[in-house]
Amino acid sequence: MNSRFNFKEVLKDAHDNHYAIPSFDIFDMHGAKAMMDCAAEYKTPLILMCIAFNHFRPKHFISFIESYSADLDIPVFVHMDHARTVELCKEGIDAGFDSVMIDASADELNENIAKTLEVKKYADARGCAVESEVGHIKNGKITVEGGYVDREDFLVHTEDAVKLVDATHVDLLAVGIGNQHGFYVEEPHIHFDRLKEVHDALNMPLVMHGGSGLPKEMVQESIKGGITKCNVATDFVTHYTDGMLAALNKMGEHPMLLGALDPAMEAGKECVKHWIDTCMSAGKA
Ligand code: 13P
């Protein structure tokens, strides 16, 4: 947990002053370094999110990020993204995340509320913030009894959002407003009217998942409508991987990872710069 900056205070500042905190899923440490260096250059608060626990546990990511960002003069927070179970959230809270997302949006509302409340009580006692989700990420494949279905009813219902927030006092709420993960397969369509309705009812930080592929103007309109945390994964990974591949391809017969890390990080930073500009967060740290 960040010992110099308070997550909820920084979040409130973003909400009150109509900018968003750029939030990136991280997959490796060089990518995370590129994000933090770029954020320090533009003096923005930053959220680094862990979703990939295939090779490392949360505590490994956290200790690297905390020790690297301790030398930077900006708030860098660590967030657990899309944890589907209460147990995983508790592991994340114990490991020291500044915030965790309990993603029970595939459950019935009452079940979603019950899980969110359990995580929130555990998190409150340990100073961690909680994000929950109402509505669905469009075209998100969710597991139902062992199979996968596409959700057509992705749009958040305002009364559900109010019910969940009243019952749990969650710190951040992710909303389904037409946003989707990965690059958009069709022209993106964000339901600003629904976003406004939810934000008017709640007046709290809302989260936009699926930033990649959304035009800058659309994201900025969403920020005006109450989006305070903007999640990005695919866009960064694509820039980073393309930068790395281009460098490896130039090396001929014996490509070496070492020579490809700087080009990958430079390409990644271009993407981070774009999102800082889009989130209007430069100079806010
Ligand atoms: P994208 O990969 O579409 O940017 O979505 C990231 C995200 O929302 C992570 O929670």
Side-chain angles (χ1 to χ4, degrees):
M1 184 152 306
N2 200 310
S3 55
R4 291 182 302 151
F5 299 96
N6 182 289
F7 179 74
K8 291 181 195 177
E9 280 170 15
V10 174
L11 194 67
K12 183 176 180 329
D13 187 72
H15 183 249
D16 291 352
N17 294 295
H18 313 292
Y19 65 93
I21 307 176
S23 309
F24 295 93
D25 280 308
I26 57 170
F27 295 93
D28 73 357
M29 287 175 182
H30 289 82
K33 172 178 157 39
M35 293 166 189
M36 289 189 274
D37 288 346
C38 191
E41 190 179 335
Y42 291 94
K43 302 198 181 327
T44 174
L46 178 71
I47 298 173
L48 295 185
M49 307 187 292
C50 296
I51 196 171
F53 301 137
N54 303 349
H55 305 101
F56 297 100
R57 298 310 299 168
K59 63 179 184 175
H60 302 124
F61 278 111
I62 293 175
S63 53
F64 168 69
I65 292 162
E66 286 189 346
S67 70
Y68 191 82
S69 67
D71 293 336
L72 306 175
D73 209 13
I74 53 163
V76 178
F77 298 110
V78 278
H79 170 86
M80 180 184 259
D81 200 16
H82 288 293
R84 306 265 182 211
T85 64
V86 170
E87 291 64 39
L88 189 54
C89 287
K90 287 183 178 174
E91 181 187 337
I93 293 164
D94 289 340
F97 278 100
D98 295 286
S99 72
V100 295
M101 176 189 192
I102 172 72
D103 181 359
S105 60
D107 294 327
E108 291 303 320
L109 183 65
N110 284 340
E111 188 63 19
N112 189 353
I113 290 175
K115 287 183 183 172
T116 302
L117 191 58
E118 190 178 343
V119 173
K120 178 69 173 145
K121 280 186 185 156
Y122 195 83
D124 274 352
R126 291 157 182 85
C128 179
V130 177
E131 174 180 332
S132 183
E133 178 169 300
V134 180
H136 305 284
I137 290 161
K138 199 176 168 198
N139 295 334
K141 302 260 192 275
I142 54 164
T143 315
V144 175
E145 290 168 4
Y148 286 96
V149 294
D150 266 339
R151 296 300 298 235
E152 295 202 349
D153 56 337
F154 57 87
L155 207 55
V156 57
H157 295 283
T158 306
E159 60 274 22
D160 291 353
V162 170
K163 205 169 160 194
L164 182 134
V165 172
D166 279 353
T168 64
H169 301 286
V170 78
D171 305 283
L172 302 119
L173 186 70
V175 285
I177 47 172
N179 46 323
Q180 68 182 63
H181 281 146
F183 287 122
Y184 287 70
V185 283
E186 69 237 7
E187 200 68 16
H189 174 59
I190 295 298
H191 295 249
F192 295 111
D193 47 348
R194 186 60 60 91
L195 174 63
K196 183 177 177 343
E197 198 180 284
V198 173
H199 191 252
D200 283 352
L202 295 172
N203 192 27
M204 65 175 287
L206 301 177
V207 182
M208 165 91 92
H209 281 251
S212 304
L214 284 178
K216 179 176 166 179
E217 304 69 41
M218 221 176 243
V219 179
Q220 293 192 335
E221 187 71 29
S222 309
I223 294 169
K224 278 191 210 134
I227 293 296
T228 305
K229 171 172 174 274
C230 183
N231 285 15
V232 178
T234 308
D235 198 22
F236 180 87
V237 174
T238 305
H239 276 78
Y240 186 75
T241 310
D242 287 352
M244 184 175 284
L245 273 178
L248 290 171
N249 285 335
K250 274 194 217 143
M251 288 180 201
E253 217 181 323
H254 299 293
M256 295 281 284
L257 178 63
L258 197 56
L261 290 173
D262 280 327
M265 287 190 287
E266 281 312 311
K269 277 186 200 166
E270 280 308 306
C271 172
V272 176
K273 209 164 109 182
H274 164 79
W275 282 100
I276 293 170
D277 180 38
T278 301
C279 289
M280 301 174 285
S281 64
K284 304 290 189 189

